[in-house]
């Protein structure tokens, strides 16, 4: 357990540092809003391209990871729609509950995988992201459409955002460079790697800045249902599927890590833009991020990291 705490502890401290900086409004203005855009549109895509373009994908059980992670995501997507009438939530609130249950914080995931298993862990994490990011974005957009929260302009805006998603484009670019044999020629590898190194620490601090403790004052059934699925039930199913499909130590750890991650901070922006319940989404992000500081090490311990 000490090894897991030593690996994940610094990640959580950076998130808490961000929470302090956000509460104190340091450095002020719209600094963190601009920083989040820089991370999302440049630094993190650079890291994904650098990792995927140079990864030895033959060492990663892609099919088993896909079945494990995407299968669990599909199961709980169907389950949430099935129990929706019993929850008594508005359409807007349900879209936030859905996002809270299936989205995951990419910054924490990649940083955690690298901290636990070094470069091989980061490679498996990048492959997992390439599988999950397109699927989770499509599922969430379809949920907004099916829930009826989008107007005509919102529908086209959501499709446009999906097609232009920088993380999806980075995954496609990285895989294309890898499979084509081009890789990262010349100085491009070093440049992208340098940019990528800045993504994770800044991303973790930005996660903390985005926390909204006041949103926890809202007592909402949806908050607890979504958090139960994301932090408890999803990891249970992924752990079972990982064992069934014979995932190795590193692959199982990374799959479980991604299943047990708190929801993504970007879900708040999507909730605001596409008619979701933004206040509930802020509460979900905050509650899950804080709870994950306790649950994530426990899950990794259970997996035998």
């Amino acid at each position: 357990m000490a090894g897991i705490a030593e690996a994940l502890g610094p990640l959580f401290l950076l998130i808490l540092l961000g929470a302090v900086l956000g509460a104190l409004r340091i450095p002020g203005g719209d600094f963190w809003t601009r920083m989040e855009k820089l991370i999302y549109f440049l630094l993190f895509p650079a890291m994904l391209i650098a990792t995927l373009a140079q990864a030895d994908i033959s060492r990663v059980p892609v099919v088993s990871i896909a079945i494990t992670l995407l299968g669990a995501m599909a199961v709980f997507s169907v389950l949430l729609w099935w129990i929706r009438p019993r929850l008594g939530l508005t359409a807007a609130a349900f879209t936030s509950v859905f996002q809270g249950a299936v989205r995951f914080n990419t910054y924490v995931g990649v940083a955690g995988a690298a901290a636990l298993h070094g470069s091989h862990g980061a490679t498996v994490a990048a492959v997992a992201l390439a599988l999950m990011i397109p699927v989770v974005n499509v599922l969430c957009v379809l949920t907004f459409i099916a829930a009826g929260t989008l107007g005509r302009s919102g529908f086209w805006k959501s499709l446009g955002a999906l097609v232009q998603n920088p993380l999806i484009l980075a995954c496609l670019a990285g895989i294309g460079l890898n499979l084509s044999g081009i890789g990262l020629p010349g100085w491009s590898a070093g440049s992208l790697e340098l940019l990528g190194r800045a993504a994770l620490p800044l991303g973790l601090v930005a996660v903390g800045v985005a926390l909204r403790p006041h949103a926890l004052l809202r007592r909402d059934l949806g908050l607890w249902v979504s958090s139960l699925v994301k932090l408890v039930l999803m990891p249970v199913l992924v752990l079972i599927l990982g064992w069934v499909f014979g995932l190795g130590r590193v692959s199982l750890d990374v799959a479980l890590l991604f299943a047990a991650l708190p929801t993504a901070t970007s879900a708040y922006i999507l909730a605001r833009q596409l008619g979701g319940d933004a206040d509930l989404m802020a509460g979900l992000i905050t509650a899950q991020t804080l709870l994950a500081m306790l649950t994530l090490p426990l899950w990794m311990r259970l997996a035998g990291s």
Side-chain angles (χ1 to χ4, degrees):
M1 188 68 179
I4 296 170
E6 289 176 3
L8 300 181
L11 279 58
F12 295 146
L13 285 179
L14 286 180
I15 293 173
L16 292 175
L17 171 62
V20 172
L21 293 177
L24 297 177
R25 300 183 184 279
I26 298 174
D30 61 350
F31 175 86
W32 285 110
T33 300
R34 293 179 179 273
M35 178 58 71
E36 286 176 2
K37 289 181 179 179
L38 179 68
I39 297 166
Y40 185 69
F41 286 99
L42 177 62
L43 301 183
F44 204 73
M47 191 214 69
L48 288 176
I49 293 173
T51 303
L52 287 170
Q54 302 177 99
D56 183 2
I57 298 179
S58 64
R59 298 176 59 198
V60 181
V62 178
V63 174
S64 296
I65 290 177
I67 294 173
T68 299
L69 289 172
L70 302 185
M73 194 182 295
V75 166
F76 285 109
S77 296
V78 172
L79 178 63
L80 285 167
W81 273 100
W82 182 65
I83 66 171
R84 181 191 174 191
R86 298 166 178 80
L87 296 177
L89 299 172
T90 64
F94 177 75
T95 61
S96 293
V97 168
F98 187 90
Q99 283 204 92
V102 301
R103 281 192 177 277
F104 51 92
N105 195 301
T106 52
Y107 306 133
V108 180
V110 176
L116 289 168
H117 293 292
S119 60
H120 186 36
T123 297
V124 177
V127 171
L129 288 179
L131 294 168
M132 297 174 72
I133 288 174
V135 173
V136 76
N137 278 280
V138 169
L139 285 174
C140 289
V141 169
L142 289 176
T143 294
F144 280 105
I145 294 171
T149 62
L150 297 177
R152 182 176 296 274
S153 61
F155 173 76
W156 292 111
K157 182 188 295 184
S158 65
L159 290 183
L162 190 61
V163 172
Q164 300 174 50
N165 185 300
L167 303 188
I168 295 177
L169 295 176
C171 288
L172 293 175
I175 293 172
L177 289 169
N178 188 307
L179 297 180
S180 67
I182 297 174
L184 294 175
W187 295 345
S188 62
S191 299
L192 288 174
E193 287 170 3
L194 284 172
L195 285 172
R197 288 174 198 166
L200 294 181
L202 288 174
L204 291 169
V205 174
V207 169
V209 173
L211 298 184
R212 300 290 181 267
H214 65 274
L216 295 175
L217 298 176
R218 172 174 172 168
R219 298 180 181 181
D220 195 301
L221 174 64
L223 188 148
W224 301 111
V225 169
S226 186
S227 298
L228 175 66
V229 171
K230 190 70 195 74
L231 301 180
V232 179
L233 301 182
M234 186 80 77
V236 167
L237 182 55
V238 164
L239 194 56
I240 293 171
L241 291 174
W243 283 334
V244 168
F245 288 100
L247 289 180
R249 173 82 284 124
V250 175
S251 297
L252 181 60
D253 282 354
V254 173
L256 179 60
L257 175 68
F258 272 89
L261 289 173
T263 194
T265 54
S266 59
Y268 176 76
I269 298 172
L270 203 63
R272 272 194 321 186
Q273 292 179 339
L274 303 184
D277 188 330
D279 289 339
L280 174 57
M281 197 70 249
L284 279 165
I285 293 167
T286 303
Q288 289 188 17
T289 302
L290 296 176
L291 288 171
M293 294 184 184
L294 300 175
T295 60
L296 201 51
L298 293 176
W299 280 116
M300 301 316 299
R301 175 62 176 175
L302 182 62
S305 293

